[in-house]
Amino acid sequence: MEKLYVIKIGGNIIDDEQKLESFLKDFAALKGYKILVHGGGKLATKLAAQLGVEQQMIDGRRITDAETLKIVTMVYAGYINKNIVAQLQANHCNAIGLSGADGNSILAHKRQHPSIDYGFVGDVDAVNISLVHALLQQQVAIVAAPITHDQKGQLLNTNADTIAQEMARSMSSLYQVELIYSFEKSGVLLDANDDATVISKINPGYYSELKAKELIFAGMIPKLDNAFAALQKGVHKVIIGKAEQLTQLVAGEAGTAIQME
Amino acid sequence: MEKLYVIKIGGNIIDDEQKLESFLKDFAALKGYKILVHGGGKLATKLAAQLGVEQQMIDGRRITDAETLKIVTMVYAGYINKNIVAQLQANHCNAIGLSGADGNSILAHKRQHPSIDYGFVGDVDAVNISLVHALLQQQVAIVAAPITHDQKGQLLNTNADTIAQEMARSMSSLYQVELIYSFEKSGVLLDANDDATVISKINPGYYSELKAKELIFAGMIPKLDNAFAALQKGVHKVIIGKAEQLTQLVAGEAGTAIQME
């Protein structure tokens, strides 16, 4: 099986022009099949404020009313996605930007919740494996925006971490997938306040041990649970680390690799 | 050679929710290879006003400063493009939305003018024929937004009529292309005020005759000159007519067909 990298970059990189530029240079230089999933950053919040569209958050999640959906569609699938693609082209990396509606690449449904109305938020149902495969085989990198659709004409705001995970999981039927989550820290740390204490590799046995000894800080547990869930669904390796170190993350020289064996 | 339709819809359709919905139903039902090129409509102007970004027009053309480019990228490549794609998916037409940066589909350069600075406006250099062909062969309709790039990381605002013409011309090496321009009127009219006087077919001989007898109204001449230029560059047929009559335009039952013979 050929290798495929599914790489998620968070808002902190999107919001920093220089960091983003440097990250995209590294991404462009990466050999092989690759998918970049980007979050939103602060631009949508800023635009909403400028337009006087009030933002409602519940448990850290944005409630997506019709006006907010319009804003995130413009910002995520328009401004951010197209600027990333244009910069990749400048770095001689042919790339194509997709929302989930494009090529029916990510099908979702509007979130149903017994008590909270999240608005136009989508939970992923399926990735169009054959379309994604066909594009990758054209030597085109895919840049996925966190917007999906329900195949009934409705666009939906969708969590970028989830999109990365669903992409990785689904493409595992055709590729050996490495899922890379970039965030602010250098990886999974033994001491949350010391970036030098990165754990280079975690397998299920070691994970149990770390949890039993309470050597892992609480905020990291859901991320690691998600990583192991991805591995159980066929993803070959999950890597967590700093976006600024993409090249080293991929080479296994930085970050934390989460693997079954 | 297989047939390919390149269909341009103007702002008057984009701005009218019901007309757009009906048009997209017709487009979705169209058999065969197809590309839809959409203009911008009034949404960008409205958003610019809301954000207090002053719009400067010279000879009916929008000067695209950095803030305006951001707005048109959000509106054209984000909001309008993704909503069109989502609606086509709802009508069981698999479609993919592209800016010129996506897949390097349309390469352009920033317009150089001896006296006017148009800002971030692009003039088209090349269409990526092989990428467009590969997508079409996946049975995917292409929805092109009027945003291009210069392969140096710069997005550029580009006239949608030009994009339609360049797409049609370039794809003529692989397909028998019919280029359809939809506008407010039913076609080329003998009497500009009477929609019933549509000329069903114009070839070069008849065009000379119409011009010599001054039977054609002045505003139509640049459109027809452009149409004949497209034919000379390999486009098989140019059709001008009402978007509401797309099915009939394609079937040759409405509008004006402009052909060499």
Side-chain angles (χ1 to χ4, degrees):
Chain A
M1 267 185 168
E2 291 177 296
K3 208 177 258 192
L4 166 66
Y5 300 106
V6 177
I7 300 169
K8 196 251 159 175
I9 44 163
N12 61 320
I13 299 294
I14 303 283
D15 289 331
D16 185 322
E17 208 173 300
Q18 280 190 322
K19 276 190 188 172
L20 180 61
E21 201 181 310
S22 160
F23 172 85
L24 292 175
K25 259 197 183 72
D26 291 342
F27 181 85
L30 206 60
K31 296 260 177 288
Y33 301 110
K34 50 199 177 185
I35 297 174
L36 177 61
V37 181
H38 62 83
K42 292 185 185 130
L43 206 64
T45 310
K46 201 180 135 197
L47 184 60
Q50 281 179 291
L51 294 173
V53 176
E54 218 170 287
Q55 297 297 286
Q56 205 193 336
M57 306 291 281
I58 295 184
D59 297 337
R61 291 184 179 265
R62 197 192 294 266
I63 303 297
T64 309
D65 62 11
E67 280 305 303
T68 300
L69 178 69
K70 197 168 168 175
I71 289 169
V72 297
T73 302
M74 292 199 296
V75 172
Y76 302 167
Y79 184 75
I80 294 174
N81 192 269
K82 298 318 163 201
N83 274 289
I84 287 177
V85 170
Q87 279 193 55
L88 289 175
Q89 297 290 357
N91 284 296
H92 310 290
C93 168
N94 198 3
I96 197 163
L98 299 179
S99 75
D102 296 301
N104 190 23
S105 58
I106 305 176
L107 186 63
H109 63 270
K110 192 168 177 286
R111 180 172 298 167
Q112 300 300 330
H113 190 278
S115 57
I116 302 166
D117 181 5
Y118 286 98
F120 297 106
V121 164
D123 288 322
V124 174
D125 292 316
V127 171
N128 186 343
I129 299 170
S130 65
L131 177 104
V132 172
H133 179 54
L135 288 174
L136 291 171
Q137 292 296 318
Q138 295 281 322
Q139 313 302 323
V140 175
I142 291 172
V143 180
I147 299 289
T148 59
H149 80 134
D150 69 355
Q151 215 163 20
K152 292 172 200 146
Q154 183 63 57
L155 294 169
L156 295 164
N157 187 12
T158 301
N159 181 272
D161 278 8
T162 308
I163 287 184
Q165 190 161 341
E166 294 289 340
M167 279 271 195
R169 189 178 68 72
S170 303
M171 297 314 293
S172 291
S173 59
L174 297 174
Y175 296 85
Q176 190 189 81
V177 177
E178 301 199 0
L179 171 57
I180 299 166
Y181 281 111
S182 75
F183 73 144
E184 309 79 31
K185 297 190 182 288
S186 294
V188 182
L189 307 176
L190 276 174
D191 176 351
N193 299 313
D194 184 356
D195 235 28
T197 62
V198 177
I199 306 168
S200 62
K201 199 179 148 181
I202 304 180
N203 62 18
Y206 187 38
Y207 184 40
S208 304
E209 204 180 304
L210 286 167
K211 278 196 293 190
K213 292 183 182 166
E214 292 179 5
L215 280 171
I216 205 156
F217 71 103
M220 212 51 224
I221 290 178
K223 270 189 207 292
L224 284 167
D225 284 344
N226 274 337
F228 281 108
L231 295 178
Q232 264 151 7
K233 286 172 182 162
V235 174
H236 181 66
K237 197 194 273 188
V238 179
I239 301 166
I240 298 183
K242 256 199 168 71
E244 292 92 316
Q245 296 186 303
L246 180 64
T247 313
Q248 295 95 305
L249 290 178
V250 166
E253 294 159 3
T256 302
I258 298 139
Q259 280 179 281
M260 288 310 275
E261 67 294 338
Chain B
M1 267 186 169
E2 291 178 296
K3 209 178 259 194
L4 166 66
Y5 299 106
V6 177
I7 300 169
K8 195 258 154 176
I9 45 163
N12 61 319
I13 299 293
I14 302 282
D15 289 330
D16 185 322
E17 208 172 300
Q18 280 192 322
K19 274 189 190 173
L20 180 61
E21 200 181 308
S22 159
F23 172 85
L24 293 175
K25 260 199 182 73
D26 291 343
F27 180 86
L30 206 60
K31 296 260 177 289
Y33 301 110
K34 50 199 177 184
I35 296 173
L36 177 61
V37 182
H38 62 83
K42 291 185 186 132
L43 207 63
T45 310
K46 202 180 136 198
L47 185 59
Q50 281 178 291
L51 295 172
V53 176
E54 218 170 286
Q55 298 296 287
Q56 205 193 336
M57 306 292 281
I58 294 183
D59 296 338
R61 289 185 180 265
R62 196 192 296 265
I63 303 298
T64 308
D65 62 11
E67 280 306 303
T68 300
L69 178 68
K70 198 168 167 177
I71 290 169
V72 296
T73 302
M74 293 198 296
V75 172
Y76 301 168
Y79 184 75
I80 295 174
N81 192 269
K82 298 319 161 199
N83 275 290
I84 287 177
V85 169
Q87 279 192 56
L88 289 175
Q89 298 289 358
N91 283 296
H92 310 289
C93 168
N94 198 2
I96 197 163
L98 299 178
S99 74
D102 296 302
N104 189 24
S105 59
I106 305 174
L107 185 64
H109 63 270
K110 191 167 178 289
R111 180 172 298 167
Q112 301 299 329
H113 190 278
S115 57
I116 301 166
D117 180 5
Y118 285 98
F120 297 106
V121 164
D123 288 322
V124 175
D125 292 317
V127 171
N128 187 343
I129 299 171
S130 65
L131 177 103
V132 172
H133 179 54
L135 288 174
L136 292 172
Q137 292 297 317
Q138 295 282 323
Q139 314 301 322
V140 174
I142 291 172
V143 180
I147 299 288
T148 60
H149 80 134
D150 68 356
Q151 215 162 21
K152 291 172 201 149
Q154 183 64 57
L155 294 169
L156 295 164
N157 187 12
T158 301
N159 181 272
D161 278 8
T162 308
I163 288 185
Q165 189 161 342
E166 294 289 338
M167 279 272 196
R169 190 179 66 74
S170 304
M171 297 313 294
S172 292
S173 59
L174 297 174
Y175 296 85
Q176 190 190 81
V177 177
E178 301 199 359
L179 171 58
I180 300 167
Y181 282 112
S182 76
F183 75 144
E184 310 79 31
K185 296 189 182 289
S186 294
V188 182
L189 308 176
L190 276 175
D191 175 350
N193 299 313
D194 184 357
D195 235 28
T197 62
V198 177
I199 306 169
S200 62
K201 199 177 147 182
I202 304 181
N203 62 18
Y206 187 39
Y207 184 39
S208 304
E209 204 180 304
L210 286 167
K211 279 198 292 190
K213 291 183 181 166
E214 291 178 6
L215 280 172
I216 206 156
F217 71 102
M220 213 49 224
I221 289 178
K223 271 190 206 290
L224 284 167
D225 284 343
N226 274 337
F228 280 108
L231 295 179
Q232 264 151 6
K233 286 171 182 164
V235 174
H236 181 67
K237 197 194 275 189
V238 179
I239 301 166
I240 298 181
K242 256 199 169 71
E244 292 93 316
Q245 296 186 305
L246 179 64
T247 313
Q248 295 95 306
L249 290 178
V250 166
E253 294 160 2
T256 302
I258 298 138
Q259 281 180 280
M260 289 309 276
E261 71 285 344

